[in-house]
Amino acid sequence: MNLPPPSTPPTPKNTMTSKELHLGVPDIFDSNEDEYHSWISSIQLYLLINETIYDTDEKQIMFVLSFMKKGTAQGWATTFTADAIQLKKFGTFDNFIKSIETTFCTTDIKGKALGILQSLNQDGDDILGFINQFKVAAHHSGITDASVLTHPLLLQRVEPRTHETHLYHGYHT
């Protein structure tokens, strides 16, 4: 008696779906230029951790638009959305971000950052807060020197007692 060959069981389909991780949900953007870089960084991190959910330009753009609900940003988002719906085309995510930056960011970021560096002063005992502000402005100004904490602009603006106590005892690396 010939038995039929054993049948291969069907391969189970992957029934698991990606679940959105709500880690570091971005704040609402209101067009405040001083908060733009922090906001867009949080957007990018959120999209990165949820890349299986927001896997197209259109989904990424819609996600960003959902966080533009106040101030001038809300009007801009409403106009952009109406145009995109009418054209049935949202465009690429990269072009969308460039459009936001063109609208809401100073074109002379380096100049603005240099101005901040020149006016920044340590107030009181908060040396770490001051150093962090300096590092951010230095980055935006284009100062890439690894020893940014020994940069003359920083050293001129640190209170002398702090300079002696902190910068040369562990905070300068």
Side-chain angles (χ1 to χ4, degrees):
M1 176 165 159
N2 285 339
L3 295 173
S7 64
T8 307
T11 306
K13 292 184 179 181
N14 185 0
T15 57
M16 285 184 52
T17 58
S18 296
K19 187 172 181 181
E20 186 168 359
L21 298 174
H22 296 280
L23 301 174
V25 176
D27 291 329
I28 300 297
F29 181 59
D30 65 359
S31 74
N32 181 340
E33 182 181 355
D34 293 335
E35 296 173 3
Y36 173 77
H37 292 286
S38 173
W39 175 75
I40 200 64
S41 290
S42 68
I43 290 282
Q44 290 167 332
L45 287 173
Y46 194 90
L47 289 173
L48 182 63
I49 199 165
N50 289 294
E51 65 186 347
T52 58
I53 305 275
Y54 301 102
D55 57 354
T56 66
D57 285 338
E58 191 171 88
K59 288 178 184 177
Q60 292 172 355
I61 291 168
M62 288 180 187
F63 176 80
V64 174
L65 289 168
S66 73
F67 288 91
M68 299 176 76
K69 295 181 178 180
K70 289 185 180 177
T72 308
Q74 181 179 24
W76 186 92
T78 301
T79 301
F80 179 89
T81 302
D83 291 346
I85 289 171
Q86 182 179 5
L87 297 171
K88 297 180 182 174
K89 184 176 179 182
F90 280 79
T92 68
F93 185 71
D94 289 339
N95 286 341
F96 173 75
I97 294 299
K98 287 176 188 172
S99 183
I100 291 174
E101 288 177 355
T102 300
T103 304
F104 296 108
C105 292
T106 300
T107 54
D108 186 13
I109 294 171
K110 286 185 179 184
K112 182 178 178 181
L114 283 171
I116 290 170
L117 287 173
Q118 292 172 343
S119 65
L120 192 61
N121 286 306
Q122 180 193 358
D123 294 324
D125 293 328
D126 187 16
I127 184 65
L128 296 179
F130 170 73
I131 288 173
N132 286 333
Q133 288 178 339
F134 187 89
K135 284 177 154 181
V136 169
H139 170 75
H140 290 300
S141 74
I143 295 174
T144 58
D145 186 356
S147 60
V148 71
L149 295 181
T150 58
H151 195 280
L153 281 173
L154 175 80
L155 299 178
Q156 294 167 2
R157 286 163 174 74
V158 174
E159 293 175 1
R161 65 182 173 81
T162 304
H163 184 272
E164 294 169 9
T165 307
H166 293 292
L167 289 183
Y168 291 113
H169 298 322
Y171 293 110
H172 64 285
T173 57

